[in-house]
């Protein structure tokens, strides 16, 4: 992932900043310019999520793609944030430990890097709360 | 709108074809289809090519021109050729575009082809390329692979509906069993539940045998107005219905992770256009990119209630001779899954079934067949309903 492409999303990736529609009150992550419910009547504003939630479903990945630089296996999950929206993230824990309904909280971690000389990608992962 | 018929079909063998190029295989499929329809070639007015990612797999874009060129339709006839892309639903979408072009009266004889050459790159590159069918910024970036996304669907389906490991595995066992009798299939060997459960773990609960393989292959069909179909062939297959739908590209933005809203909507639209119900369908080729995907599909298309897909599969209701034969070709799992070609291959299987030429895979007395082609984790779905009898 090139520098500008990563850099543009830093606020959302580092701080879990998504969107709230001031018209209908719905929360969105990742950020959206358009509320799918209200569309042009919607009024989107940035919103920072607390970063607490629970695991809705999960898997342990044994065969990552070529661009993957982390250890394996690793746990991937869909987490439901307490404010409502879901996101895809990694849960840092023993694969035997993760389960549906497990409470988790956000942590700031390295996600990947662009080769030996490229930029390092950081973002938000989750740990058992 | 005019009624549309398929007048010719072609399909290469599916598998790892290291000695053959992208353009070779699509030309072979096209030539078979043209021969099948007994066309000279100059009647062909337009072409739609479904291809997910020539760019990532063979560093080739501008697929429309390339295929028109190497099928001999560019330099003399200069036909319009359009590449369409909707990830793994690219083939189904190419067919839908060809049908719309004929139905509208804009063109008479149109080719819909699908092609993917996946084995010219290493597996890790393929894994990353396939991940681009999901949201690259918010799923792929976080380390989501394609099997992982479907594995998370499977995990929740098991949790919520009690779907079992054996029920998932039976999808693969049944599809391998069907592929034994399909000369085009990539894997023509029987497997057992233990084969699936004891294979290398890919993304828990999936092993390698829950996943469709990496495949090279191409397929083509030729469509024409229904009223002209008998001019070309004694056994036309009529398009009764076509439906296309979208959903959010990421799984995490869906209201429900155990159903694909796009499959439900595309199926409904196809049923409505065809004036049929799920009970009228004699066989269906569904998008079983992973074992859970077939179970979702047979529920979402209305063949079984939500949560009943797994038990029905294990009870043999989706086998040839069962209540509703699913994936008589061997499906994506055993016939192979060259992503852009899959949607066209599904139609080829339906045509052979409706002509009564499917050999040992034949569903007795098949009159109405259906296809279900999915892009990504349900971001796009395309369904078609075919019959060997004209619309009443």
């Amino acid at each position: 992932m090139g520098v500008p492409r990563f850099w543009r999303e830093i606020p959302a990736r580092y701080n879990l900043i998504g969107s709230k529609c001031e018209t209908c009150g719905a929360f969105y992550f990742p950020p959206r310019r358009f509320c799918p419910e209200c569309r042009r009547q919607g009024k989107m504003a940035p919103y920072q999520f607390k970063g607490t939630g629970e695991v809705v479903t999960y898997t342990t990945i044994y065969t990552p793609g070529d661009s993957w630089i982390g250890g394996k296996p690793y746990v991937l999950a869909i987490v439901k944030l307490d404010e409502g929206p879901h996101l895809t993230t990694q849960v840092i824990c023993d694969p035997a430990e993760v389960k549906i309904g497990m409470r988790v909280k956000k942590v700031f971690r390295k996600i990947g890097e662009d080769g030996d000389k490229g930029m390092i990608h950081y973002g938000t992962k989750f740990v058992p709360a | 709108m005019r009624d549309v018929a398929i007048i010719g079909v072609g399909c290469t063998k599916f598998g790892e074809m290291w000695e053959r190029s992208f353009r070779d295989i699509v030309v072979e499929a096209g030539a078979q289809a043209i021969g099948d329809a007994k066309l000279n070639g100059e009647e062909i007015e337009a072409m739609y090519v479904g291809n997910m990612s020539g760019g990532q797999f063979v560093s080739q874009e501008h697929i429309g021109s390339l295929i028109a060129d190497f099928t001999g339709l560019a330099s003399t006839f200069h036909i319009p050729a359009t590449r369409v892309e909707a990830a793994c639903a690219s083939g189904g979408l190419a067919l839908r575009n060809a049908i719309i072009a004929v139905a509208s009266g804009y063109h008479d004889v149109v080719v819909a082809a699908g092609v993917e050459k996946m084995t010219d790159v290493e597996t890790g590159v393929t894994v990353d390329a396939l991940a681009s069918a999901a949201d690259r910024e918010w799923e792929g970036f976080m380390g989501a692979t394609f099997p992982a996304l479907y594995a998370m669907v499977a995990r929740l389906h098991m949790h919520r509906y009690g779907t079992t490991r054996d029920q998932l595995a039976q999808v693969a066992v049944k599809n391998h069993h069907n592929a034994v009798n399909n000369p085009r299939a990539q894997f023509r060997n029987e497997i057992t539940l233990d084969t699936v459960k004891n294979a290398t773990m890919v993304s828990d609960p999936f092993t390698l045998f829950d996943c469709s393989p990496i495949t090279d292959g191409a397929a083509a069909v030729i469509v024409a107005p229904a009223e002209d179909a008998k001019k070309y062939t004694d056994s036309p297959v009529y398009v009764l219905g076509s439906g296309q739908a979208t959903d959010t590209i990421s799984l995490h933005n869906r209201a429900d992770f155990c159903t694909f809203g796009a499959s439900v909507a595309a199926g409904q639209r196809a049923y409505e256009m065809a004036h049929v119900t799920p009970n009228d369908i004699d066989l269906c080729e569904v998008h079983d990119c992973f074992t859970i995907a077939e179970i979702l599909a047979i529920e979402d298309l209305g063949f079984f209630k939500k949560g009943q897909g797994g038990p029905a599969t294990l009870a043999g209701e989706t086998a040839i001779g069962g209540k509703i034969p699913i994936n008589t070709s061997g499906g994506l799992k055993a016939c192979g899954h060259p992503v852009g070609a899959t949607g066209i291959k599904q139609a080829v299987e339906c045509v052979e079934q409706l002509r009564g030429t499917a050999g040992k895979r034949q569903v007795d007395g098949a009159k109405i067949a259906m296809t279900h082609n999915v892009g990504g984790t349900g971001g796009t779905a395309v369904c078609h309903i075919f019959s060997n009898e004209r619309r009443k």
Side-chain angles (χ1 to χ4, degrees):
Chain A
M1 187 174 285
V3 173
R5 187 176 180 184
F6 179 75
W7 171 81
R8 284 194 298 268
E9 304 296 341
I10 280 178
R13 290 199 199 284
Y14 286 11
N15 305 308
L16 280 191
I17 291 176
S19 310
K20 182 182 181 186
C21 176
E22 307 284 2
T23 306
C24 70
F27 293 101
Y28 296 103
F29 189 86
R32 287 174 181 261
R33 295 175 63 98
F34 244 59
C35 174
E37 296 299 321
C38 310
R39 294 186 304 281
R40 277 180 302 163
Q41 277 65 50
K43 193 166 171 298
M44 295 297 245
Y47 183 89
Q48 180 162 8
F49 294 102
K50 288 200 306 282
T52 54
E54 66 177 44
V55 171
V56 174
T57 181
Y58 63 90
T59 181
T60 305
I61 298 175
Y62 295 83
T63 53
D66 268 3
S67 56
W68 182 247
I69 55 115
K72 56 182 185 181
Y74 59 101
V75 176
L76 188 84
I78 293 179
V79 168
K80 183 177 199 289
L81 297 171
D82 288 337
E83 295 89 343
H86 295 79
L87 52 83
T88 300
T89 186
Q90 287 174 43
V91 178
I92 307 165
C93 68
D94 185 316
E97 189 188 347
V98 64
K99 57 183 187 292
I100 291 174
M102 184 168 89
R103 295 288 302 166
V104 288
K105 62 181 185 195
K106 71 172 185 182
V107 287
F108 183 71
R109 289 289 184 275
K110 182 175 167 182
I111 309 284
E113 54 192 32
D114 255 345
D116 295 343
K117 301 186 180 67
M119 71 182 299
I120 298 171
H121 300 145
Y122 293 94
T124 304
K125 295 184 185 179
F126 283 74
V127 293
Chain B
M1 279 210 314
R2 300 191 293 180
D3 271 344
V4 178
I6 294 177
I7 58 170
V9 299
C11 187
T12 64
K13 172 137 185 31
F14 279 13
E16 293 176 323
M17 293 186 280
W18 294 326
E19 72 290 359
R20 307 191 57 201
S21 70
F22 181 99
R23 64 191 72 182
D24 278 348
I25 56 177
V26 71
V27 167
E28 182 198 333
Q32 274 185 34
I34 290 169
D36 186 41
K38 299 186 188 63
L39 294 174
N40 296 323
E42 59 231 36
E43 306 95 323
I44 295 170
E45 290 180 28
M47 182 189 296
Y48 291 89
V49 184
N51 172 252
M52 174 186 164
S53 196
Q56 291 181 87
F57 291 122
V58 291
S59 303
Q60 177 73 58
E61 307 289 8
H62 206 179
I63 306 297
S65 165
L66 177 82
I67 303 310
D69 180 1
F70 280 81
T71 47
L73 298 169
S75 53
T76 311
F77 303 115
H78 304 292
I79 69 159
T82 310
R83 175 209 183 158
V84 296
E85 186 270 323
C88 335
S90 300
L93 197 56
L95 176 57
R96 184 174 152 85
N97 277 278
I99 290 165
I100 290 170
V102 174
S104 70
Y106 205 96
H107 288 299
D108 283 337
V109 179
V110 179
V111 178
V115 56
E116 212 74 52
K117 185 83 180 76
M118 300 170 73
T119 67
D120 281 4
V121 290
E122 289 169 7
T123 304
V125 178
T126 308
V127 171
D128 280 342
L130 291 174
S132 66
D135 187 335
R136 189 69 193 80
E137 299 265 5
W138 300 102
E139 290 177 314
F141 175 81
M142 290 308 300
T145 62
F146 228 70
L149 293 167
Y150 274 91
M152 291 197 292
V153 173
R155 166 91 55 219
L156 196 59
H157 204 278
M158 292 164 99
H159 177 79
R160 191 184 294 173
Y161 299 108
T163 301
T164 67
R165 188 67 194 87
D166 279 7
Q167 290 165 0
L168 289 173
Q170 182 58 31
V171 170
V173 171
K174 184 259 302 170
N175 288 344
H176 269 257
H177 178 75
N178 290 350
V180 167
N181 295 313
N182 186 352
R184 293 194 192 96
Q186 184 167 2
F187 299 120
R188 300 184 63 189
N189 59 313
E190 299 272 5
I191 58 170
T192 65
L193 292 177
D194 285 333
T195 316
V196 182
K197 291 188 287 185
N198 298 334
T200 309
M201 191 59 83
V202 170
S203 195
D204 169 51
F206 290 162
T207 69
L208 193 61
F209 275 77
D210 286 283
C211 310
S212 53
I214 293 166
T215 312
D216 302 330
V221 300
I222 299 173
V223 293
E227 63 262 27
D228 299 341
K230 288 275 177 101
K231 282 199 308 204
Y232 300 103
T233 177
D234 297 332
S235 50
V237 165
Y238 301 95
V239 180
L240 298 188
S242 173
Q244 180 190 345
T246 50
D247 203 335
T248 63
I249 187 163
S250 348
L251 196 58
H252 57 234
N253 285 141
R254 307 271 170 80
D256 183 348
F257 305 131
C258 287
T259 181
F260 284 171
S263 293
V264 175
Q268 284 290 357
R269 287 164 191 169
Y271 289 137
E272 279 169 28
M273 183 175 165
H275 301 299
V276 300
T277 69
N279 292 332
D280 299 314
I281 306 295
D282 296 317
L283 64 122
C284 186
E285 286 283 300
V286 306
H287 198 92
D288 61 313
C289 47
F290 299 93
T291 47
I292 187 65
E294 178 164 326
I295 288 170
L296 278 199
I298 60 181
E299 294 171 350
D300 288 342
L301 296 175
F303 301 131
F304 300 98
K305 286 196 172 68
K306 205 32 93 177
Q308 290 303 304
T313 301
L314 201 55
E317 294 186 45
T318 57
I320 295 171
K323 176 190 160 193
I324 168 83
I326 299 290
N327 284 332
T328 55
S329 69
L332 284 56
K333 170 65 196 82
C335 188
H337 183 30
V339 272
T342 285
I344 303 286
K345 178 224 78 181
Q346 293 175 325
V348 172
E349 176 71 13
C350 289
V351 167
E352 292 187 343
Q353 289 281 354
L354 294 170
R355 285 175 177 175
T357 57
K360 289 184 178 164
R361 306 192 312 282
Q362 186 63 46
V363 174
D364 285 341
K367 279 199 163 38
I368 299 180
M370 183 170 184
T371 59
H372 162 262
N373 191 196
V374 171
T377 49
T380 295
V382 183
C383 288
H384 284 103
I385 297 172
F386 306 105
S387 176
N388 47 21
E389 293 176 356
R390 269 199 84 167
R391 191 190 301 278
K392 292 180 180 65

